[in-house]
Amino acid sequence: MSKFYLNVCLPPTALRDLRAALDAVMAPFNINLPDGEWNPNGEWDWWRIDADDGFAVRPEFDGDPRLIHEPTYPAGQPRARQPLRCDGGPRGLLDFEATKAGAVDEARARWQAEQQDFARLVADHPSAEPLSAFLERHRANSEGYPREQAVADHHAQPLVCALNHRSAWERNPNLGLWVLGPESDPISHFTRDIQPDLDSAASWALASTALLTLDGQWIEADRPGPFTNVLPGEEPLAAYARQTTAYLDGLREDCIVVRLLCHC
């Protein structure tokens, strides 16, 4: 059992009675059928309006009554409202570009903090090669230099050993603890190009685990429905995020977008 976020798209009329509109579109995906039987198309056993950090609001619409904000948690505790953020509303009132920009800024800040920690660690250790360098030697002489030895040699480098040691990540918490395995390559990770991370942050700022379209289709990465365009070299999950983001971007300004926290 787990929690996940769902973007629900609704017609403009949904604001007349949002709860009733959500109940209606969510009902086909309730795990528990009214007669107590299991729903083979079920996706959730409870849900609530909750966009976590929320969608950014266009400043000129701050305080607009059409914006959606769940004021309490299920147990009744007050749920603080963040400035210029909401759980949903008409597409035209939501600032999707600001939502993306905020996510990109957060991703860049995380990367910069990680890079600062990594630079401190590098300063105390000899330089290290990525796993790919050792695998190239293995491919050039697979019998004389087995893959297992290539991986072991990569892991034996002092900088990589440090990343596997508790003391290093306690002093440099932005690096995390690396539990080394046959595919682990922390050197490539910390020397990577940041742009794919930023692109992913922008896509996932709007995309969520699942999408319920205006015509009632439940879309997920492994059930993409009409979103089957995978670009060369693109991972299916990235393709899902890109295409569902484009779907949200393309909605009419009076269509309602609201994010739910679901449990299954």
Side-chain angles (χ1 to χ4, degrees):
M1 307 296 276
S2 61
K3 297 177 183 177
F4 64 94
Y5 286 101
L6 166 71
N7 286 327
V8 180
C9 304
L10 299 166
T13 54
L15 284 183
R16 296 173 188 166
D17 189 339
L18 180 63
R19 181 70 200 202
L22 286 171
D23 283 340
V25 298
M26 292 291 284
F29 308 103
N30 189 346
I31 285 176
N32 300 305
L33 296 172
D35 57 7
E37 294 186 8
W38 184 266
N39 181 1
N41 297 315
E43 302 288 351
W44 59 268
D45 57 13
W46 62 253
W47 58 265
R48 68 171 185 261
I49 296 173
D50 183 349
D52 193 20
D53 289 337
F55 297 107
V57 175
R58 291 171 59 184
E60 63 269 32
F61 294 112
D62 187 27
D64 192 298
R66 292 170 292 174
L67 293 170
I68 300 165
H69 172 72
E70 187 67 18
T72 62
Y73 290 104
Q77 312 98 309
R79 182 167 171 257
R81 186 166 194 160
Q82 301 180 57
L84 290 176
R85 291 277 165 170
C86 66
D87 295 317
R91 161 71 180 90
L93 277 59
L94 307 180
D95 194 336
F96 281 177
E97 291 309 309
T99 304
K100 295 175 190 176
V104 168
D105 288 345
E106 290 178 4
R108 184 180 288 107
R110 288 192 300 270
W111 179 80
Q112 289 172 339
E114 173 192 273
Q115 290 298 300
Q116 290 172 358
D117 276 3
F118 186 59
R120 283 194 291 268
L121 197 66
V122 166
D124 294 334
H125 297 84
S127 61
E129 294 182 301
L131 177 61
S132 58
F134 294 89
L135 294 182
E136 285 179 13
R137 295 168 204 159
H138 157 65
R139 285 190 287 271
N141 182 17
S142 58
E143 291 187 6
Y145 190 53
R147 191 184 196 283
E148 294 76 10
Q149 186 61 52
V151 171
D153 289 348
H154 169 63
H155 291 175
Q157 298 175 103
L159 181 57
V160 177
C161 289
L163 288 163
N164 184 234
H165 197 273
R166 182 183 184 93
S167 61
W169 64 266
E170 285 178 341
R171 291 192 302 270
N172 304 286
N174 294 297
L175 302 182
L177 174 62
W178 281 78
V179 179
L180 300 176
E183 305 296 332
S184 299
D185 189 356
I187 304 305
S188 289
H189 174 80
F190 292 120
T191 58
R192 71 194 185 280
D193 175 12
I194 184 56
Q195 193 57 50
D197 289 21
L198 302 183
D199 294 342
S200 176
S203 286
W204 286 103
L206 297 182
S208 56
T209 302
L211 169 73
L212 189 52
T213 64
L214 277 172
D215 59 359
Q217 292 187 77
W218 186 287
I219 305 294
E220 293 185 15
D222 59 352
R223 284 174 293 163
F227 305 133
T228 56
N229 176 29
V230 180
L231 301 177
E234 187 177 39
E235 295 293 330
L237 196 60
Y240 161 81
R242 174 178 55 81
Q243 291 174 91
T244 56
T245 291
Y247 177 85
L248 295 173
D249 274 329
L251 289 173
R252 291 199 330 260
E253 290 199 350
D254 57 352
C255 289
I256 309 303
V257 180
V258 57
R259 185 168 292 173
L260 309 183
L261 176 63
C262 304
H263 181 269
C264 179

